[in-house]
C-alpha cells in the first residue's frame, strides 16, 4: 500500500459510521475550513523560518485537509480524492500549452476520461514573466467560458483583505486599468494621506479613508513587483525581533518593560536597530 493510499484508508476509518472517531464524524465542510486556513499559515511560517523538517510535517497536515474534504465529498457521492488529482493534472497541462503539446496530458492521468502521453515542446514562452502572463490569459478565457463576465469574478471573498486587494488590482491591471508607472501609485498614496489628515478623528469617514490609503499602498507594492502579505510578514518579524531585544535589554535593569518609560524603551529600540545593522555590515 502506498503512503497516500494508507492516508486515504486512515481517513475513511476515522469517518466510519460505527468504528470511526466521534470528532472526525461530526465535522462538515464548514467546520473544517478554519483548520485548513490555520494549516496553510503554518506551512507559510515554516517556510519563513527556513525549517524544512517542520515544513515536511506541516505539508502533511495540509494534505490531510484535502483528504478530509475529499472523504466527506465521497460520502455524499460528489467526488473523491482521485478526482481532485485528475482535476489539477488537467488544469496544469491545459494552462501550460508551451510545455505540453495541445490536446495531450501527463502520462498516467485520466482527466477528461482519456489517457495520453504529454509531449514537451519548445515555445516562445521562455521566461517566467511570459509564462505567468500566458497563465493569466488562459484563466481569463476559462472564466468567460464558465459564464463569469467580470474580470473580478471568482476572486474569493474569504481571502485575507490584503491578499484580496492585491488580487483585485492584478485582475484590473490585466485589462489595462493601471497606472503606467509606480509614480501614479505614489501620487494616489499622497492624495489619500491628505484626505486622512483632513478627516475628523472618530468620524464615520475615517475608517473609509484609511482603507483607501491601505489599498493605495498595496498598489505601490504591486508595481514594485512585490507581494504585500509577504513583505508585511517580514515587517512583523522584524518588529517582533527588535521588541524582544528591547525586553531583553531592559529585563536586567531597574525598569523592565512594563515599568520603563517611552524614552527608555526607545533608546533600547535604537540600540536593537544599531545591533542589527552592525551585524549586516
Amino acid at each position: 500500500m502506498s503512503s497516500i493510499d494508507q492516508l486515504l484508508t486512515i481517513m475513511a476509518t476515522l469517518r466510519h459510521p460505527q468504528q470511526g472517531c466521534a470528532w472526525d464524524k461530526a465535522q462538515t465542510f464548514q467546520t473544517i475550513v478554519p483548520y485548513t486556513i490555520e494549516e496553510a499559515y503554518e506551512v507559510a511560517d515554516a517556510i519563513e523560518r527556513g525549517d524544512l523538517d517542520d515544513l515536511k510535517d506541516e505539508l502533511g497536515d495540509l494534505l490531510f485537509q484535502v483528504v478530509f474534504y475529499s472523504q466527506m465529498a465521497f460520502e455524499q457521492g460528489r467526488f473523491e480524492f482521485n478526482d481532485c488529482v485528475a482535476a489539477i493534472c488537467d488544469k496544469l497541462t491545459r494552462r501550460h500549452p508551451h510545455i505540453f503539446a495541445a490536446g495531450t496530458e501527463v502520462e498516467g492521468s485520466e482527466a477528461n476520461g482519456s489517457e495520453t502521453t504529454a509531449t514537451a515542446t519548445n515555445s516562445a514562452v521562455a521566461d517566467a514573466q511570459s509564462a505567468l502572463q500566458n497563465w493569466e490569459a488562459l484563466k481569463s478565457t476559462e472564466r468567460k467560458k464558465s459564464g463569469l463576465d467580470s474580470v473580478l469574478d471568482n476572486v474569493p471573498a474569504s481571502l485575507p483583505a490584503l491578499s484580496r486587494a492585491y488580487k483585485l488590482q492584478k485582475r484590473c491591471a490585466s485589462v489595462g486599468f493601471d497606472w503606467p508607472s509606480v509614480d501614479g501609485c505614489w501620487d494616489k498614496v499622497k492624495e489619500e494621506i491628505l484626505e486622512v489628515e483632513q478627516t475628523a478623528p472618530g468620524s464615520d469617514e475615517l475608517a473609509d479613508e484609511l482603507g483607501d490609503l491601505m489599498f493605495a499602498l498595496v498598489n505601490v507594492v504591486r508595481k514594485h513587483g512585490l507581494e504585500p502579505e509577504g513583505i508585511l510578514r517580514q515587517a512583523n518579524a522584524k518588529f517582533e525581533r527588535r521588541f524582544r531585544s528591547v525586553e531583553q535589554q531592559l529585563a536586567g535593569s531597574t525598569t523592565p518593560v512594563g515599568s520603563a518609560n517611552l524614552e527608555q524603551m526607545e533608546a533600547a529600540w535604537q540600540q536593537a536597530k544599531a545591533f542589527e545593522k552592525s551585524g549586516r555590515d
Side-chain angles (χ1 to χ4, degrees):
M1 180 183 293
S2 68
S3 296
I4 189 62
D5 286 335
Q6 183 181 9
L7 179 58
L8 292 169
T9 299
I10 290 171
M11 183 71 257
T13 303
L14 290 173
R15 293 275 298 181
H16 191 278
Q18 287 78 43
Q19 303 170 4
C21 169
W23 186 89
D24 291 279
K25 291 191 295 181
Q27 301 313 303
T28 66
F29 289 104
Q30 291 75 20
T31 63
I32 291 296
V33 167
Y35 299 100
T36 307
I37 294 171
E38 180 180 344
E39 296 299 350
Y41 277 117
E42 289 180 0
V43 166
D45 180 66
I47 292 171
E48 289 289 328
R49 292 184 284 106
D51 190 338
L52 295 186
D53 288 333
D54 192 29
L55 178 61
K56 174 190 66 178
D57 292 339
E58 297 300 346
L59 286 171
D61 292 343
L62 188 57
L63 175 61
F64 180 67
Q65 300 296 305
V66 178
V67 169
F68 209 136
Y69 289 119
S70 300
Q71 175 62 30
M72 290 188 290
F74 173 72
E75 293 166 4
Q76 296 179 16
R78 304 301 295 272
F79 61 84
E80 57 183 287
F81 179 78
N82 287 339
D83 296 320
C84 299
V85 175
I88 187 59
C89 289
D90 179 52
K91 179 184 291 184
L92 289 172
T93 53
R94 188 175 68 248
R95 291 189 182 173
H96 290 82
H98 55 293
I99 300 297
F100 304 105
T104 64
E105 301 163 6
V106 178
E107 184 175 6
S109 72
E110 297 180 358
N112 295 330
S114 62
E115 183 174 345
T116 53
T117 302
T119 304
T121 179
N122 292 327
S123 171
V125 186
D127 61 88
Q129 184 59 35
S130 297
L132 179 60
Q133 291 172 351
N134 194 50
W135 173 280
E136 292 296 340
L138 288 167
K139 281 179 64 176
S140 177
T141 300
E142 289 174 10
R143 284 197 299 270
K144 291 177 181 177
K145 288 181 178 179
S146 299
L148 301 175
D149 298 325
S150 172
V151 70
L152 300 181
D153 284 341
N154 209 29
V155 178
S158 58
L159 280 175
L162 201 61
S163 293
R164 193 163 193 269
Y166 176 71
K167 200 168 186 69
L168 289 171
Q169 292 172 5
K170 282 185 63 179
R171 287 279 186 91
C172 290
S174 71
V175 294
F177 190 67
D178 195 14
W179 281 279
S181 72
V182 74
D183 293 340
C185 299
W186 276 121
D187 289 339
K188 185 62 176 177
V189 167
K190 295 171 185 175
E191 174 188 324
E192 296 298 346
I193 289 174
L194 183 61
E195 291 182 5
V196 168
E197 292 174 339
Q198 294 173 343
T199 302
S203 67
D204 293 338
E205 293 79 17
L206 183 59
D208 188 56
E209 296 298 346
L210 286 170
D212 290 344
L213 175 57
M214 293 177 70
F215 191 86
L217 279 171
V218 172
N219 254 326
V220 172
V221 173
R222 178 183 59 82
K223 291 295 281 188
H224 279 292
L226 300 171
E227 192 274 320
E229 284 283 347
I231 65 171
L232 188 56
R233 282 198 301 270
Q234 292 175 10
N236 288 341
K238 180 169 63 177
F239 178 87
E240 182 180 3
R241 187 171 63 246
R242 289 177 178 177
F243 192 79
R244 287 181 183 274
S245 176
V246 169
E247 291 177 316
Q248 292 169 1
Q249 291 177 56
L250 297 177
S253 71
T254 57
T255 53
V257 170
S259 300
N261 59 35
L262 180 58
E263 288 75 15
Q264 291 169 316
M265 288 190 286
E266 177 63 23
W269 178 272
Q270 293 301 327
Q271 188 172 340
K273 287 179 62 177
F275 179 77
E276 282 192 2
K277 187 176 186 304
S278 65
R280 292 195 299 266
D281 294 341

